[in-house]
Short mmCIF file of all heavy atoms in Angstrom, two decimals:
data_model
loop_
_atom_site.label_atom_id
_atom_site.label_comp_id
_atom_site.label_asym_id
_atom_site.label_seq_id
_atom_site.Cartn_x
_atom_site.Cartn_y
_atom_site.Cartn_z
N MET A 194 -67.87 -47.11 61.66
CA MET A 194 -67.40 -45.84 60.94
C MET A 194 -66.06 -46.29 60.36
O MET A 194 -65.27 -47.00 61.04
CB MET A 194 -67.21 -44.73 61.89
CG MET A 194 -66.54 -43.54 61.24
SD MET A 194 -66.09 -42.22 62.40
CE MET A 194 -67.64 -41.37 62.56
N SER A 195 -65.76 -45.82 59.26
CA SER A 195 -64.36 -46.13 58.62
C SER A 195 -63.60 -44.87 58.87
O SER A 195 -64.03 -43.69 58.98
CB SER A 195 -64.58 -46.41 57.18
OG SER A 195 -65.05 -45.35 56.43
N LEU A 196 -62.30 -45.08 58.83
CA LEU A 196 -61.33 -44.06 59.03
C LEU A 196 -61.46 -42.91 58.07
O LEU A 196 -61.38 -41.78 58.43
CB LEU A 196 -59.88 -44.60 59.11
CG LEU A 196 -58.79 -43.68 59.44
CD1 LEU A 196 -59.02 -42.78 60.66
CD2 LEU A 196 -57.49 -44.30 59.46
N PRO A 197 -61.60 -43.17 56.78
CA PRO A 197 -61.69 -42.09 55.92
C PRO A 197 -62.85 -41.22 56.25
O PRO A 197 -62.82 -39.97 56.16
CB PRO A 197 -61.97 -42.73 54.47
CG PRO A 197 -61.41 -44.12 54.65
CD PRO A 197 -61.63 -44.49 56.11
N ALA A 199 -64.22 -40.78 59.28
CA ALA A 199 -63.86 -40.03 60.54
C ALA A 199 -62.91 -38.77 60.13
O ALA A 199 -63.06 -37.73 60.65
CB ALA A 199 -63.10 -41.01 61.41
N ILE A 200 -62.01 -39.03 59.31
CA ILE A 200 -61.08 -37.90 58.76
C ILE A 200 -61.93 -36.73 58.09
O ILE A 200 -61.79 -35.63 58.32
CB ILE A 200 -60.01 -38.48 57.88
CG1 ILE A 200 -59.02 -39.24 58.73
CG2 ILE A 200 -59.20 -37.39 57.20
CD1 ILE A 200 -57.97 -39.94 57.98
N LEU A 214 -54.67 -33.47 63.05
CA LEU A 214 -55.74 -34.44 63.04
C LEU A 214 -55.36 -35.61 64.06
O LEU A 214 -56.24 -36.00 64.85
CB LEU A 214 -55.88 -35.10 61.59
CG LEU A 214 -56.65 -34.40 60.61
CD1 LEU A 214 -56.55 -35.05 59.25
CD2 LEU A 214 -58.12 -34.40 61.06
N THR A 215 -54.08 -35.99 64.04
CA THR A 215 -53.70 -36.97 65.06
C THR A 215 -54.00 -36.53 66.52
O THR A 215 -54.44 -37.33 67.30
CB THR A 215 -52.15 -37.25 64.91
OG1 THR A 215 -51.94 -37.82 63.63
CG2 THR A 215 -51.64 -38.30 65.91
N ARG A 217 -56.18 -34.33 67.40
CA ARG A 217 -57.62 -34.37 67.61
C ARG A 217 -58.17 -35.73 67.83
O ARG A 217 -59.11 -35.84 68.60
CB ARG A 217 -58.35 -33.59 66.45
CG ARG A 217 -58.03 -32.06 66.50
CD ARG A 217 -58.61 -31.28 65.29
NE ARG A 217 -59.96 -31.47 65.17
CZ ARG A 217 -60.57 -31.26 63.95
NH1 ARG A 217 -59.91 -31.03 62.83
NH2 ARG A 217 -61.91 -31.42 63.85
N PHE A 218 -57.67 -36.65 67.06
CA PHE A 218 -58.11 -38.01 67.32
C PHE A 218 -57.73 -38.50 68.67
O PHE A 218 -58.61 -39.20 69.35
CB PHE A 218 -57.45 -38.95 66.32
CG PHE A 218 -58.31 -39.16 65.04
CD1 PHE A 218 -58.44 -38.23 64.13
CD2 PHE A 218 -58.96 -40.41 64.88
CE1 PHE A 218 -59.17 -38.42 62.91
CE2 PHE A 218 -59.72 -40.65 63.69
CZ PHE A 218 -59.86 -39.58 62.74
N ASP A 219 -56.48 -38.11 69.23
CA ASP A 219 -56.30 -38.43 70.60
C ASP A 219 -57.17 -37.74 71.61
O ASP A 219 -57.38 -38.31 72.73
CB ASP A 219 -54.81 -38.04 70.93
CG ASP A 219 -53.80 -38.92 70.16
OD1 ASP A 219 -54.19 -40.01 69.73
OD2 ASP A 219 -52.60 -38.44 70.06
N ARG A 220 -57.70 -36.61 71.36
CA ARG A 220 -58.39 -35.80 72.29
C ARG A 220 -59.99 -35.97 72.16
O ARG A 220 -60.66 -35.83 73.16
CB ARG A 220 -58.15 -34.32 72.18
CG ARG A 220 -56.76 -33.90 72.72
CD ARG A 220 -56.67 -32.44 72.77
NE ARG A 220 -57.26 -31.70 71.72
CZ ARG A 220 -56.61 -31.29 70.63
NH1 ARG A 220 -55.36 -31.57 70.52
NH2 ARG A 220 -57.22 -30.64 69.67
N SER A 221 -60.51 -36.23 71.02
CA SER A 221 -61.90 -36.16 70.88
C SER A 221 -62.45 -37.37 70.19
O SER A 221 -63.08 -38.26 70.73
CB SER A 221 -62.46 -34.83 70.33
OG SER A 221 -62.03 -34.65 69.06
N ILE A 222 -62.20 -37.45 68.89
CA ILE A 222 -62.74 -38.45 68.03
C ILE A 222 -62.20 -39.84 68.51
O ILE A 222 -62.91 -40.79 68.40
CB ILE A 222 -62.32 -38.28 66.52
CG1 ILE A 222 -63.07 -36.94 66.05
CG2 ILE A 222 -62.66 -39.43 65.68
CD1 ILE A 222 -62.68 -36.59 64.69
N GLY A 223 -60.97 -39.83 69.10
CA GLY A 223 -60.36 -41.04 69.52
C GLY A 223 -61.18 -41.70 70.70
O GLY A 223 -60.94 -42.89 70.99
N TYR A 224 -62.05 -41.07 71.32
CA TYR A 224 -62.89 -41.59 72.39
C TYR A 224 -63.75 -42.73 71.75
O TYR A 224 -64.11 -43.66 72.40
CB TYR A 224 -63.77 -40.62 73.10
CG TYR A 224 -62.93 -39.76 74.01
CD1 TYR A 224 -62.95 -38.37 73.79
CD2 TYR A 224 -62.21 -40.27 75.11
CE1 TYR A 224 -62.23 -37.44 74.63
CE2 TYR A 224 -61.55 -39.33 75.93
CZ TYR A 224 -61.54 -38.09 75.79
OH TYR A 224 -60.82 -37.23 76.55
N PHE A 225 -64.12 -42.58 70.49
CA PHE A 225 -64.96 -43.64 69.88
C PHE A 225 -64.44 -44.18 68.56
O PHE A 225 -64.96 -45.18 68.05
CB PHE A 225 -66.35 -43.06 69.68
CG PHE A 225 -66.55 -41.86 68.86
CD1 PHE A 225 -66.71 -41.90 67.51
CD2 PHE A 225 -66.43 -40.63 69.48
CE1 PHE A 225 -66.82 -40.82 66.76
CE2 PHE A 225 -66.57 -39.38 68.68
CZ PHE A 225 -66.79 -39.55 67.35
N TRP A 226 -63.32 -43.53 68.07
CA TRP A 226 -62.70 -44.08 66.79
C TRP A 226 -61.27 -43.72 66.86
O TRP A 226 -60.93 -42.50 66.65
CB TRP A 226 -63.46 -43.50 65.53
CG TRP A 226 -62.97 -44.26 64.30
CD1 TRP A 226 -62.02 -43.95 63.44
CD2 TRP A 226 -63.53 -45.50 63.90
NE1 TRP A 226 -61.92 -44.85 62.53
CE2 TRP A 226 -62.85 -45.87 62.77
CE3 TRP A 226 -64.55 -46.40 64.47
CZ2 TRP A 226 -63.16 -47.07 61.99
CZ3 TRP A 226 -64.79 -47.52 63.66
CH2 TRP A 226 -64.14 -47.80 62.63
N SER A 227 -60.39 -44.66 67.07
CA SER A 227 -58.98 -44.36 67.16
C SER A 227 -58.27 -44.73 65.93
O SER A 227 -58.71 -45.47 65.07
CB SER A 227 -58.34 -45.18 68.30
OG SER A 227 -58.53 -46.57 67.99
N ALA A 228 -57.10 -44.02 65.70
CA ALA A 228 -56.22 -44.27 64.52
C ALA A 228 -54.84 -43.86 64.86
O ALA A 228 -54.63 -42.86 65.63
CB ALA A 228 -56.82 -43.44 63.34
N THR A 229 -53.90 -44.53 64.28
CA THR A 229 -52.51 -44.15 64.48
C THR A 229 -52.13 -43.05 63.59
O THR A 229 -52.77 -42.78 62.60
CB THR A 229 -51.57 -45.31 64.21
OG1 THR A 229 -51.64 -45.60 62.87
CG2 THR A 229 -51.96 -46.55 65.08
N HIS A 230 -51.04 -42.44 63.84
CA HIS A 230 -50.44 -41.29 62.99
C HIS A 230 -50.26 -41.82 61.56
O HIS A 230 -50.71 -41.14 60.62
CB HIS A 230 -49.07 -40.94 63.62
CG HIS A 230 -48.44 -39.74 62.95
ND1 HIS A 230 -48.90 -38.49 63.24
CD2 HIS A 230 -47.34 -39.72 62.15
CE1 HIS A 230 -48.04 -37.69 62.50
NE2 HIS A 230 -47.15 -38.38 61.84
N GLN A 232 -51.78 -44.32 60.01
CA GLN A 232 -53.08 -44.63 59.38
C GLN A 232 -53.71 -43.31 58.87
O GLN A 232 -54.28 -43.26 57.78
CB GLN A 232 -53.96 -45.34 60.34
CG GLN A 232 -53.67 -46.68 60.69
CD GLN A 232 -54.59 -47.21 61.83
OE1 GLN A 232 -54.81 -46.61 62.76
NE2 GLN A 232 -54.94 -48.47 61.68
N ILE A 233 -53.62 -42.34 59.71
CA ILE A 233 -54.21 -41.02 59.38
C ILE A 233 -53.47 -40.48 58.02
O ILE A 233 -54.15 -40.05 57.03
CB ILE A 233 -54.03 -39.99 60.52
CG1 ILE A 233 -55.10 -40.49 61.61
CG2 ILE A 233 -54.44 -38.60 59.94
CD1 ILE A 233 -54.98 -39.68 62.87
#
Side-chain angles (χ1 to χ4, degrees):
M194 177 189 275
S195 67
L196 181 55
I200 290 171
L214 279 173
T215 300
R217 288 174 59 205
F218 267 73
D219 289 344
R220 286 191 321 265
S221 61
I222 294 171
Y224 287 120
F225 58 91
W226 193 263
S227 61
T229 66
H230 185 78
Q232 290 171 317
I233 289 170

